[in-house]
Every structure is written in C-alpha cells, then in structure tokens.
Amino acid sequence: MLGTELPLEAKVASLRLGERQIIEIARSTIGASKCIIFDEATAALSDAEARKLFQLIRRLAGRGVAILYITHRLDEVFALADRVCVLRDGRVSLDSAAGDVTQDQVIEAMVGRAVAYARHAVPPSTDAPPVLKATGLGSASFSDVSFALRPGEILGVYGKVGSGVQELSSSLVGARAFDEGTLYVEGSPRHFRHPADAIAAGIGHLSADRAADGLLRTMTLAENLSAPSWGRLARRGFVNRRKLRQAYCRWHRTLHIKAAASGEQLITELSGGNQQKVLLGRWLEAGSKILVLSEPTRGVDVGARQEIYRVLARLAAKGHAIVVATSDYEDITAVASRALVMVRGRMVAEIPYERISTEALTEAAGGGVHA
C-alpha cells in the first residue's frame, strides 16, 4: 500500500529513519482501528512515499476511519484536512473548516502574529580561503562529491530522502566513514574516525534524528547545552554546576530559547524548535566555527523555523561557516548562500544565490511534490 520494498528479515534498528517510519505507519493501519493519529508522519519520508501515504489516508477516511493528522507542514494540511485545529501555548487558537481559512490565517494562529517570509542569507565574500573543503569524497552512499565552504557562508546541500545528503553530512563529522577523496579542515587533510575527532577540529553537528542522536533525554537544558564543554567546565574532575548554568544563560538570551532561564528543566519538556536551539547552543558554547546541520527544522513549527533561520544568518554574519544538509526546500530558499543538489548519491547541480528557488531545487532534484 505504501509502495515500498523492505528487507523483512532485517533488524528494525538497522533500517534508515524513513524505513522505520514506514513500518510504524503500516503497523498502525493494518488493524481495525476506528481512529488513527499520525504525528509528523512524513518527516522522514521521500516525496514518493509521502504521496503513497496521502493516498492511503484518503482511502482510510473513505472507509469511515477518523484521522487526526498532526503536522507543521501547511501544504500537507491543505492537501488532506477537512478541518484545521491550531494549538498555541496549549490552547486552541483556531478551529475551522479547511476551506474557510487561508494559509496566512493558519500561520498567524500558530505564532500569534503575521510572519513575514524573507531570505535571511546573503552571498558571502569569496576572498577568504575555505575552512572546509571536500575533493572527490565517496562511499557506498555517494560518490565524487567536491565543494569548498568559506567563513560567512551557508552552503545548502539539498536532496530527497535517499539522495545521499544525510550520509554525506554524517561523513563530514566522522559519524560515517568515507572511502575515497580527501576532506580538508583549515587547509589540513583530515579523516575523522569518530565524531569526537570532528568536535576537536572545531566542527559542530546537528543530527537529522534529534531524539535518537542529539538529546540527552534524562538531563537538564544546562547539561544538554554544555555537554561537549564538560571537560572545560569541570573542576577537579567534577562538572561545576554554576558554570553549566552560566553557559546556558549566555545562549538562552542569544538564541531566544523559550524556557526557564535557570536551565534546570528537562530538555524533553521543550518543543522541537526550542530543543533544536539548545542543541545549536551546544556547539556555540564549544566554540565550533564550522557547523554541519542535518534537517535543522524537521518537526519545527513555522514561527520557530523563522527564528532558527535568523539565528543561522546572524552566525554566518559573524564568520561561522555552515552546511545545511536537508530534504526541505524551504531551508535552502530561506538561508543558503549557495546550493548543491544531490540525486542518487551524486552532485547534479550547483545553484548560485541569485537563482535559488523552490522551482530550481525541485527541477534539479528531478521534480517534487509540494502537497
């Protein structure tokens, strides 16, 4: 029904995030459920898989199954919903038939104000030498990838699920090995065997799977934000909790994290957007000047997206070099100074700042679906 072939004997833990998502969806639909709740169901799916899911949801609704579809993607809301209900700060701020409201009205109900969409990045100066350079990188998931990243630049790497984008970003930070080519950091060739090697070289990383690979779920905001800096903040082998709180307070203000200023809340109590800002603060506290961000706005609402985009633009203006590796065209159109497009593990296009658009990205990636 979902048009996907999976290795049935494989351990679920060995599957990629999108394949695990498909198994969850299939499991929820095979019974005689009268109501099914989908929570960010397409976050890790390819365009083709998302289309199949929408077809399945329409068939289920046609059979009388009640569907509660939770999403931050407004194109999905207007493609699927009969009725739209918006929650803001734990209260219903809009409840209306989908045909009676516009996208702008839904956004305003979500964030409490009108949101102005704008490009946040500007083209960087090309005079500075690259701080991160790849020449002919290759692995089982991608091949012959080359690029140069300079200070003040936000390099967007765009591709649909399965394009090799996420595998490439993992290789840049030592979470995966690459078999061919050379990676240079500040002009020196490097081959990271572990993410700790990349951190030591001044590279920070946001994983695409925030819950599994990013959050220390039983720890506080202050502990999460300062995790890579514990050694520096320790005294006689013990982490100094006052210094943890000071580190958190520094970035709490800068990143506009909506949480208690003490940093004593558990990170799991925050929204996805605020969790992401804490994880971004983690690398700023560690002094990372190179950031590799995988799906930085996945599961994040419209207002938080705009805040994250503004933060990234400010960091670039201060000289940070940033890679945004994503399957979300909005991330690229909002912040990228330059865009690379990957299809089936290969770079197929480089799009300069003045030509970046949704149409250019989806055309280079082989077309796409926006609903």
Side-chain angles (χ1 to χ4, degrees):
M1 287 193 297
L2 290 169
T4 303
E5 295 292 330
L6 296 177
L8 300 183
E9 300 304 318
K11 297 287 187 183
V12 171
S14 71
L15 302 179
R16 65 176 176 83
L17 183 61
E19 291 170 332
R20 299 201 301 269
Q21 187 93 323
I22 287 166
I23 288 173
E24 281 199 84
I25 291 167
R27 182 169 59 185
S28 70
T29 59
I30 58 176
S33 303
K34 295 180 179 179
C35 176
I36 300 176
I37 301 172
F38 292 90
D39 190 354
E40 300 290 354
T42 63
L45 301 185
S46 69
D47 289 338
E49 290 163 346
R51 280 196 296 269
K52 290 284 188 181
L53 173 61
F54 295 163
Q55 292 168 5
L56 174 61
I57 288 174
R58 292 182 186 112
R59 285 201 301 272
L60 291 169
R63 296 207 306 257
V65 178
I67 304 293
L68 180 62
Y69 191 87
I70 302 167
T71 184
H72 289 119
R73 299 305 308 239
L74 298 188
D75 50 0
E76 297 178 359
V77 170
F78 287 99
L80 288 172
D82 300 304
R83 189 161 57 91
V84 181
C85 181
V86 176
L87 294 181
R88 184 176 78 245
D89 298 329
R91 296 179 180 274
V92 175
S93 59
L94 176 76
D95 189 348
S96 176
D100 293 340
V101 291
T102 65
Q103 181 165 304
D104 286 345
Q105 288 172 318
V106 173
I107 291 172
E108 190 164 349
M110 292 171 70
V111 300
R113 54 183 167 76
V115 173
Y117 285 89
R119 291 186 71 178
H120 297 276
V122 295
S125 166
T126 56
D127 297 336
V131 292
L132 186 68
K133 182 179 178 181
T135 57
L137 291 191
S139 75
S141 303
F142 56 86
S143 61
D144 197 24
V145 172
S146 299
F147 65 84
L149 176 70
R150 291 175 168 80
E153 182 176 28
I154 301 178
L155 176 64
V157 184
Y158 174 76
K160 300 174 184 178
V161 175
S163 64
V165 166
Q166 296 309 321
E167 290 82 358
L168 172 63
S169 69
S170 295
S171 294
L172 296 178
V173 297
R176 282 176 182 260
F178 56 84
D179 308 316
E180 301 171 348
T182 307
L183 183 67
Y184 298 88
V185 180
E186 302 281 2
S188 300
R190 305 295 295 263
H191 199 116
F192 303 133
R193 300 186 181 279
H194 189 275
D197 299 335
I199 294 169
I203 300 177
H205 179 226
L206 291 190
S207 166
D209 192 347
R210 179 174 61 238
D213 302 326
L215 305 181
L216 303 173
R217 299 178 64 84
T218 60
M219 293 190 176
T220 66
L221 304 181
E223 290 167 333
N224 266 274
L225 185 141
S226 58
S229 306
W230 283 349
R232 177 171 54 82
L233 300 175
R235 184 179 179 186
R236 296 175 183 173
F238 292 92
V239 175
N240 185 310
R241 300 199 67 80
R242 179 177 59 82
K243 290 186 176 180
L244 291 190
R245 288 193 293 272
Q246 288 174 342
Y248 172 76
C249 287
R250 232 182 341 263
W251 300 110
H252 173 265
R253 292 189 296 271
T254 301
L255 299 175
H256 304 289
I257 299 168
K258 294 178 181 176
S262 67
E264 293 302 315
Q265 266 182 283
L266 288 177
I267 195 164
T268 50
E269 296 176 9
L270 269 60
S271 67
N274 285 292
Q275 289 176 352
Q276 199 74 316
K277 285 188 274 188
V278 170
L279 297 183
L280 185 57
R282 173 184 288 178
W283 302 114
L284 302 181
E285 176 64 24
S288 303
K289 296 297 288 184
I290 302 170
L291 301 173
V292 178
L293 313 181
S294 301
E295 304 289 355
T297 62
R298 174 175 284 170
V300 170
D301 70 36
V302 172
R305 271 176 179 259
Q306 297 300 311
E307 289 181 4
I308 289 172
Y309 296 153
R310 282 191 289 270
V311 168
L312 295 184
R314 286 200 301 269
L315 292 175
K318 291 179 179 178
H320 285 76
I322 303 171
V323 175
V324 173
T326 182
S327 58
D328 189 330
Y329 53 82
E330 187 177 324
D331 290 347
I332 305 295
T333 58
V335 297
S337 315
R338 179 165 55 96
L340 304 176
V341 180
M342 291 184 69
V343 175
R344 298 188 185 93
R346 290 186 173 273
M347 291 287 185
V348 298
E350 178 172 346
I351 305 175
Y353 174 81
E354 61 275 8
R355 288 191 51 243
I356 293 175
S357 67
T358 301
E359 293 74 20
L361 291 167
T362 53
E363 181 180 355
V369 58
H370 308 313

